[in-house]
């Protein structure tokens, strides 16, 4: 296995946590609450966030320098998802995790 910095290990963990949080919140909380929580723009953003987080984690685990590209996009999508979760309301845990992931990915993309 390639040498991995502690920062990269932490970013992988944040990405996987964010993937899990977004997917779980979308499939459980949002679908149960309905209304704005299942509006297409918000719901698609949550799915996109979960996917890019998993992809970014995978790129870092593979050990390719291309992780910088996916991490940059991941940070952007996570910030958008956090803002959307704030706007919809009642999704503080998801918004918080998205912001943690965004910060970690931003550092990895640098």
């Amino acid at each position: 296995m390639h040498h991995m910095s502690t920062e990269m290990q932490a970013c992988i963990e944040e990405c996987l946590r964010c993937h899990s949080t977004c997917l779980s919140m979308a499939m459980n909380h949002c679908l149960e609450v309905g209304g704005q929580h299942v509006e297409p723009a918000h719901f698609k953003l949550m799915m996109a966030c979960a996917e890019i987080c998993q992809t970014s984690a995978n790129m870092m685990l593979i050990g390719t320098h291309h992780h910088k590209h996916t991490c940059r996009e991941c940070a952007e999508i996570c910030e958008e998802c956090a803002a959307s979760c704030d706007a919809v309301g009642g999704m503080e845990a998801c918004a918080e995790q998205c912001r943690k992931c965004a910060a970690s990915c931003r550092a990895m993309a640098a």
Side-chain angles (χ1 to χ4, degrees):
M1 188 167 150
H2 70 285
H3 172 72
M4 192 179 297
S5 69
T6 56
E7 293 84 4
M8 186 175 284
Q9 289 173 347
C11 189
I12 291 167
E13 290 171 15
E14 290 297 346
C15 285
L16 293 175
R17 229 183 329 269
C18 196
H19 168 260
S20 176
T21 300
C22 284
L23 189 59
S24 178
M25 288 287 290
M27 292 298 135
N28 295 291
H29 175 76
C30 289
L31 286 177
E32 290 170 7
V33 173
Q36 289 183 332
H37 288 82
V38 291
E39 288 292 323
H42 173 71
F43 202 80
K44 286 179 183 181
L45 185 54
M46 289 192 71
M47 292 295 90
C49 191
E51 286 298 317
I52 194 65
C53 287
Q54 186 173 43
T55 298
S56 290
N58 288 347
M59 294 298 270
M60 288 182 278
L61 287 165
I62 290 167
T64 175
H65 68 277
H66 294 288
H67 78 270
K68 290 179 183 265
H69 306 294
T70 55
C71 284
R72 190 172 300 112
E73 188 64 20
C74 187
E76 184 178 324
I77 293 173
C78 282
E79 287 292 348
E80 284 182 36
C81 191
S84 183
C85 288
D86 285 341
V88 167
M91 300 188 68
E92 293 79 15
C94 193
E96 181 182 340
Q97 184 55 52
C98 285
R99 287 192 177 93
K100 285 181 185 177
C101 187
S104 189
C105 277
R106 212 173 289 109
M108 278 294 106

